[in-house]
Amino acid sequence: QVQLVESGGGLVQAGGSLRLSCTIPGRAFGNYAMGWFRQAPGKEREFVAGITWSGGITDYTDSVKGRFTISRDNAKNMVYLQMNSLKPGDTAVYSCAARRGTWSSVSSRAYDYSYWGQGTQVTVSS
């Protein structure tokens, strides 16, 4: 069983920034495309951002474009989600997900990702 490990959530005021981090302990990190999803109370889980195995292609949901940046460092086995200009509507549990394979595009579908982290809470106050 592959378990992703996330960190970096917390409470921040509107307009502030947070950086989330995620790793896959003990795995060849470069073999996985990575994604970030979020779920707010009473809402369905939604795709936030994704990045291909090489880091060459990224994709974002429209509501975070220009504010969030996904990146990865395969040498350090880490993927990051830099979140700037945070809004109260960004409040959710954010989960990291991994999709095995050297795909040439980013998937926004949760069922394409086989491995998930436990989630980290991000709360943005107004």
Side-chain angles (χ1 to χ4, degrees):
Q1 181 70 21
V2 177
Q3 182 68 51
L4 280 62
V5 178
E6 302 132 333
S7 61
L11 173 64
V12 65
Q13 289 187 335
S17 298
L18 283 173
R19 188 177 80 157
L20 306 182
S21 302
C22 174
T23 188
I24 312 176
R27 293 281 172 161
F29 190 72
N31 291 338
Y32 295 86
M34 302 297 294
W36 286 97
F37 291 77
R38 66 186 180 187
Q39 187 166 20
K43 294 187 178 181
E44 295 187 352
R45 182 170 54 189
E46 68 167 339
F47 171 79
V48 177
I51 189 167
T52 52
W53 67 277
S54 66
I57 296 174
T58 59
D59 194 18
Y60 302 87
T61 191
D62 286 345
S63 63
V64 308
K65 286 180 179 177
R67 301 188 297 122
F68 291 11
T69 302
I70 188 171
S71 62
R72 67 189 296 160
D73 185 339
N74 287 349
K76 296 182 178 179
N77 281 12
M78 297 293 292
V79 63
Y80 307 100
L81 184 67
Q82 178 67 43
M83 304 185 294
N84 298 330
S85 302
L86 282 161
K87 305 175 181 179
D90 295 318
T91 296
V93 174
Y94 284 71
S95 297
C96 177
R99 182 189 188 199
R100 185 175 178 84
T102 56
W103 306 94
S104 60
S105 62
V106 173
S107 173
S108 62
R109 300 179 300 231
Y111 62 75
D112 281 336
Y113 294 81
S114 300
Y115 309 113
W116 292 80
Q118 78 285 357
T120 185
Q121 178 69 46
V122 171
T123 303
V124 184
S125 63
S126 56

